[in-house]
């Protein structure tokens, strides 16, 4: 099982750069990069809400659940 992060896809659709989004939601570009690559163990609801507000999207637009992870 895994959570898939599609943040980069939504950013491309909205034509928002990593630098712009990081500045807009108040996190570092390094932390945004880790989040985009799914290299974090968790994300605060406040951060998720800020991303969704900035990108005008829903959490399900950037996060997906995959029951069967290929080994």
């Amino acid at each position: 099982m895994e959570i898939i992060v599609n943040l980069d896809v939504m950013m491309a659709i909205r034509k928002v750069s990593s630098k712009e989004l990081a500045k807009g939601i108040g996190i570092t570009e390094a932390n945004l990069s880790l989040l985009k690559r799914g290299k974090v163990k968790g994300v605060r609801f406040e951060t998720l809400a800020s991303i969704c507000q900035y990108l005008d999207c829903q959490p399900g637009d950037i996060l997906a659940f995959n029951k069967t992870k290929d080994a």
Side-chain angles (χ1 to χ4, degrees):
M1 297 183 291
E2 69 177 332
I3 298 292
I4 300 167
V5 181
N6 295 314
L7 180 55
D8 55 345
V9 174
M10 186 55 59
M11 289 172 60
I13 291 169
R14 298 290 193 249
K15 297 183 174 135
V16 173
S17 69
S18 291
K19 184 175 185 175
E20 181 182 352
L21 180 59
K23 184 177 179 183
I25 64 171
I27 66 172
T28 66
E29 286 184 68
N31 283 340
L32 181 60
S33 177
L34 290 171
L35 179 59
K36 282 175 32 180
R37 293 184 286 134
K39 300 294 182 186
V40 295
K41 293 194 182 267
V43 59
R44 293 176 186 246
F45 284 150
E46 181 181 349
T47 303
L48 184 58
S50 295
I51 291 170
C52 289
Q53 182 176 8
Y54 195 93
L55 296 177
D56 189 27
C57 67
Q58 294 294 314
D61 295 329
I62 55 177
L63 299 174
F65 176 66
N66 183 4
K67 288 184 185 179
T68 57
K69 180 180 177 185
D70 294 333

